[in-house]
C-alpha cells in the first residue's frame, strides 16, 4: 500500500513550505479533528456520552418547549432592553463565528491549492491560494456542511442506542466510526476536486466519492497511518507543553513564596502564551499534514485517471 508513503512527504512539505502554515492554522477552526473527538466522546460506558448529555441538557432546559417560548415572550414584553442586550451579545458572537468560519473555509482552499503546487515542485505565493480559496468559498462551504451534517447524524443516531445492549451499541459505534472517517476523507478529496479542477458542489462531491472508492486501499492505509501519527504528535505535544511550562511553574512558585504578586501574574500570562504557541504549532502541523496527504492522493489519482482516459 502506498498510503503510508504520503506521510513523510507531507511532513517534509509542511516543514519546507512555511508559507502554508497560516492556512494550515486557520483550517483548524473548521474542525479538522473535532469530528473524531466528538465521536470518541460519544462512548462513555456506564453513563451517557457527551452528545447524549448535551441533548438532555437542551431538552431539560425547556427552551424548545411551549413554556420556554412563552417565558421568552413574557421577558421580551416586560424588559425589552435586557433582551436587546442579550440579542446584541449573541449578534456579536455569531458575527465573530461567521468571520472565523469564512477565514477557515477560504484557508482550506488556499491550503489545498498551495499544497498541490508545492507537491509538484512548483510552489506559488500564498496570496494566490487565498484568491483561489475565496473564489471557491461557497462550494467548499457546502461540502463542509454536508460532511458535518452526516457526522452529526451518525453521532445523534448513537444516542438512543447507547442505553441498549452493549453488543448492539458496540456494533453501531464501529459502523458510525467507519462512516465518520470515510466522510472526513471524502471531504478533503471533494475540496481538492472543487479547488484544483473548479468543479461545482455536486460534481466535486461525486468526484471525491469516486476517487475514494477507486483508491480505497490507499485511503484505508492513509486513515490508519494518519491516526497513528496524530496520536503520536498529540502525545509529543503534551510532553513538550509540560517541559516548556516547568521553568514557569518553578518561577511562579518562587514568586508566590516571596509574595511577588505582580510578577506572578506576568509569569502566568507568559506561561499561557507559551502553551498557546506550542498548541497552535502542533495543530497547524497535524491539520496541515492531513490536508496535504489527501491533496497529494487526489492529485495522484486524478493524474492517473487522465492518463487512462477516465
Amino acid at each position: 500500500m502506498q498510503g503510508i508513503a504520503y506521510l513523510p512527504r507531507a511532513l517534509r512539505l509542511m516543514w519546507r513550505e512555511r508559507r502554508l502554515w497560516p492556512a494550515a492554522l486557520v483550517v483548524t477552526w473548521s474542525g479538522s479533528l473535532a469530528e473524531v473527538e466528538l465521536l470518541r466522546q460519544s462512548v462513555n460506558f456506564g453513563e451517557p456520552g457527551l452528545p447524549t448529555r448535551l441533548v438532555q441538557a437542551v431538552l431539560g432546559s425547556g427552551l424548545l418547549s411551549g413554556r420556554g417560548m412563552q417565558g421568552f415572550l413574557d421577558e421580551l414584553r416586560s424588559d425589552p432592553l435586557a433582551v436587546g442586550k442579550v440579542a446584541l451579545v449573541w449578534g456579536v458572537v455569531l458575527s465573530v463565528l461567521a468571520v472565523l468560519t469564512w477565514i477557515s473555509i477560504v484557508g482550506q482552499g488556499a491550503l489545498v491549492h498551495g499544497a498541490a503546487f508545492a507537491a509538484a515542485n512548483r510552489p506559488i505565493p500564498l496570496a494566490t491560494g487565498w484568491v483561489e480559496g475565496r473564489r471557491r468559498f461557497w462550494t467548499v462551504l457546502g461540502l463542509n456542511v454536508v460532511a458535518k451534517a452526516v457526522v452529526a447524524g451518525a453521532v445523534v443516531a448513537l444516542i438512543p442506542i447507547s442505553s441498549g445492549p452493549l453488543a448492539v451499541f458496540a456494533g453501531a459505534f464501529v459502523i458510525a466510526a467507519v462512516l465518520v472517517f470515510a466522510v472526513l476523507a471524502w471531504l478533503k478529496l471533494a475540496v481538492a476536486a472543487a479547488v484544483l479542477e473548479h468543479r461545482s458542489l455536486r460534481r466535486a462531491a461525486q468526484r471525491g466519492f469516486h476517487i475514494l472508492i477507486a483508491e480505497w486501499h490507499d485511503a484505508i492505509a492513509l486513515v490508519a497511518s494518519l491516526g497513528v501519527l496524530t496520536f503520536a504528535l498529540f502525545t509529543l505535544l503534551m510532553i513538550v507543553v509540560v517541559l516548556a511550562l516547568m521553568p514557569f511553574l518553578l518561577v511562579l512558585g518562587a514568586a508566590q513564596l516571596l509574595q511577588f504578586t505582580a510578577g506572578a501574574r506576568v509569569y502566568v500570562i507568559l506561561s499561557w502564551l507559551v502553551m498557546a504557541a506550542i498548541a497552535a504549532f502542533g495543530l497547524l502541523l497535524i491539520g496541515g499534514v492531513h490536508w496535504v496527504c489527501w491533496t497529494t492522493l487526489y492529485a495522484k489519482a486524478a493524474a492517473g485517471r487522465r492518463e487512462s482516459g477516465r
Side-chain angles (χ1 to χ4, degrees), residues 1 211-221:
M1 293 185 183
I211 294 292
L212 181 63
I213 297 300
E215 304 293 330
W216 66 269
H217 47 290
D218 280 353
I220 292 176

Side-chain angles (χ1 to χ4, degrees), residues 56-293:
Q56 291 174 347
V58 172
L59 296 178
S61 65
L63 295 176
L64 303 180
S65 64
R67 181 184 298 178
M69 293 301 299
Q70 185 61 44
F72 172 77
L73 293 176
D74 293 341
E75 182 68 21
L76 180 61
R77 284 192 292 266
S78 62
D79 193 354
L81 183 59
V83 176
K85 291 179 180 178
V86 173
L88 178 61
V89 171
W90 275 105
V92 173
V93 171
L94 292 177
S95 298
V96 173
L97 294 179
V99 171
L100 292 175
T101 300
W102 182 87
I103 295 174
S104 181
I105 296 299
V106 173
Q108 287 184 16
L111 182 58
V112 167
H113 193 265
F117 278 85
N121 294 319
R122 292 189 297 157
I124 58 174
L126 182 60
T128 304
W130 286 105
V131 171
E132 193 63 32
R134 290 197 297 271
R135 289 175 178 171
R136 310 306 301 168
F137 170 78
W138 291 110
T139 302
V140 177
L141 177 63
L143 293 170
N144 276 266
V145 170
V146 171
K148 292 187 182 303
V150 174
V151 171
V155 174
V156 170
L158 292 175
I159 294 177
I161 307 176
S162 62
S163 58
L166 178 60
V168 175
F169 177 77
F173 178 80
V174 170
I175 296 174
V178 172
L179 178 61
V180 167
F181 282 112
V183 168
L184 295 179
W186 164 83
L187 171 63
K188 295 174 177 63
L189 295 173
V191 170
V195 173
L196 301 180
E197 298 181 352
H198 295 174
R199 293 176 178 262
S200 64
L201 175 61
R202 180 179 64 84
R203 291 175 62 84
Q206 293 174 344
R207 179 71 159 172
F209 179 76
H210 292 156
I211 294 292
L212 181 63
I213 297 300
E215 304 293 330
W216 66 269
H217 47 290
D218 280 353
I220 292 176
L222 188 54
V223 167
S225 55
L226 282 173
V228 173
L229 177 68
T230 301
F231 177 78
L233 288 178
F234 267 122
T235 303
L236 179 61
L237 182 62
M238 294 299 101
I239 295 174
V240 171
V241 167
V242 172
L243 292 177
L245 289 181
M246 286 180 63
F248 290 103
L249 294 177
L250 292 174
V251 175
L252 178 60
Q256 289 180 335
L257 289 175
L258 297 174
Q259 296 183 347
F260 186 34
T261 56
R265 295 191 189 98
V266 172
Y267 299 137
V268 169
I269 294 174
L270 288 177
S271 63
W272 275 102
L273 290 176
V274 170
M275 187 168 59
I278 295 174
F281 177 76
L283 288 175
L284 77 86
L285 182 61
I286 295 171
V289 168
H290 276 250
W291 281 92
V292 169
C293 283

Side-chain angles (χ1 to χ4, degrees), residues 1-32:
M1 293 185 183
Q2 299 180 0
I4 301 178
Y6 291 108
L7 287 182
R9 299 175 193 170
L11 285 168
R12 289 195 298 269
L13 187 146
M14 280 300 300
W15 183 256
R16 184 179 73 244
E17 298 296 329
R18 294 179 176 84
R19 70 187 73 190
L20 297 177
W21 288 9
L25 181 60
V26 299
V27 159
T28 59
W29 168 251
S30 58
S32 301

